[in-house]
Amino acid sequence: YGLASNAHFGWTLASADFDGDDMSELAIGAPGVDLLAGGLVGGEVFVFNGTPSGLERGRRSFSTGLPVGRFGQALTWGDY
Protein backbone atom coordinates (compact mmCIF):
# COMPACT_ATOMS: atom_id res chain seq x y z
CA TYR A 1 0.00 0.00 0.00
CA GLY A 2 2.95 2.29 -0.44
CA LEU A 3 3.66 2.80 3.25
CA ALA A 4 7.14 3.23 4.64
CA SER A 5 8.46 0.38 6.78
CA ASN A 6 8.36 2.62 9.85
CA ALA A 7 4.58 3.06 9.37
CA HIS A 8 4.23 -0.24 11.26
CA PHE A 9 1.39 -1.47 9.03
CA GLY A 10 -0.11 -4.48 10.80
CA TRP A 11 0.96 -3.40 14.29
CA THR A 12 -2.62 -4.13 15.42
CA LEU A 13 -5.46 -6.16 13.92
CA ALA A 14 -9.16 -6.43 14.72
CA SER A 15 -11.74 -8.48 12.87
CA ALA A 16 -15.51 -8.31 13.36
CA ASP A 17 -18.74 -7.42 11.59
CA PHE A 18 -18.20 -3.66 11.98
CA ASP A 19 -20.97 -2.59 9.59
CA GLY A 20 -23.73 -5.09 10.46
CA ASP A 21 -23.82 -6.89 7.09
CA ASP A 22 -23.14 -10.35 8.62
CA MET A 23 -19.65 -10.45 7.10
CA SER A 24 -16.42 -9.80 8.98
CA GLU A 25 -14.27 -6.82 8.14
CA LEU A 26 -10.58 -6.48 8.97
CA ALA A 27 -9.10 -3.35 10.60
CA ILE A 28 -5.33 -2.93 10.40
CA GLY A 29 -3.47 -0.33 12.44
CA ALA A 30 -0.46 1.57 11.15
CA PRO A 31 0.47 3.84 14.06
CA GLY A 32 3.70 5.05 12.45
CA VAL A 33 2.12 6.65 9.37
CA ASP A 34 3.57 10.13 8.84
CA LEU A 35 0.50 12.19 7.91
CA LEU A 36 2.37 15.47 7.50
CA ALA A 37 5.79 16.29 6.13
CA GLY A 38 8.41 16.64 8.82
CA GLY A 39 8.14 13.28 10.54
CA LEU A 40 5.18 14.08 12.79
CA VAL A 41 3.51 10.72 13.36
CA GLY A 42 -0.29 10.69 13.40
CA GLY A 43 -1.10 7.07 12.54
CA GLU A 44 -3.84 5.54 10.42
CA VAL A 45 -6.28 2.61 10.49
CA PHE A 46 -7.24 0.73 7.32
CA VAL A 47 -10.52 -1.21 7.08
CA PHE A 48 -11.06 -3.91 4.47
CA ASN A 49 -14.69 -4.90 3.87
CA GLY A 50 -15.76 -8.52 4.05
CA THR A 51 -17.59 -10.21 1.17
CA PRO A 52 -18.94 -13.75 0.67
CA SER A 53 -15.68 -14.61 -1.13
CA GLY A 54 -13.27 -12.93 1.31
CA LEU A 55 -11.93 -9.42 1.82
CA GLU A 56 -12.30 -6.67 -0.79
CA ARG A 57 -9.09 -5.37 -2.31
CA GLY A 58 -10.14 -1.76 -1.77
CA ARG A 59 -10.08 -0.23 1.67
CA ARG A 60 -11.23 2.70 3.75
CA SER A 61 -8.77 4.54 5.95
CA PHE A 62 -9.23 6.65 9.05
CA SER A 63 -6.95 9.05 10.90
CA THR A 64 -7.32 11.82 13.45
CA GLY A 65 -5.76 14.36 11.10
CA LEU A 66 -3.52 15.42 13.96
CA PRO A 67 0.27 15.37 13.61
CA VAL A 68 0.82 13.34 16.79
CA GLY A 69 -0.94 10.52 18.57
CA ARG A 70 0.00 7.20 16.89
CA PHE A 71 -3.63 6.48 15.95
CA GLY A 72 -4.02 2.74 15.35
CA GLN A 73 -1.54 1.67 18.01
CA ALA A 74 -4.36 -0.23 19.72
CA LEU A 75 -7.58 -1.64 18.28
CA THR A 76 -10.49 -3.37 19.95
CA TRP A 77 -14.03 -4.32 19.06
CA GLY A 78 -17.15 -4.58 21.15
CA ASP A 79 -20.81 -5.10 20.40
CA TYR A 80 -22.57 -2.96 22.99
Side-chain angles (χ1 to χ4, degrees):
Y1 290 96
L3 298 175
S5 62
N6 62 348
H8 302 294
F9 182 80
W11 184 270
T12 52
L13 302 171
S15 179
D17 181 11
F18 299 131
D19 58 10
D21 65 358
D22 293 327
M23 289 179 245
S24 292
E25 284 71 46
L26 177 63
I28 302 174
V33 168
D34 181 1
L35 296 175
L36 304 170
L40 300 173
V41 175
E44 199 163 356
V45 173
F46 300 88
V47 178
F48 295 82
N49 289 328
T51 70
S53 60
L55 295 173
E56 286 184 350
R57 294 178 64 93
R59 75 207 186 274
R60 295 172 285 158
S61 63
F62 302 90
S63 69
T64 64
L66 300 174
V68 294
R70 301 190 62 80
F71 186 69
Q73 187 168 1
L75 296 173
T76 187
W77 167 252
D79 187 7
Y80 302 101

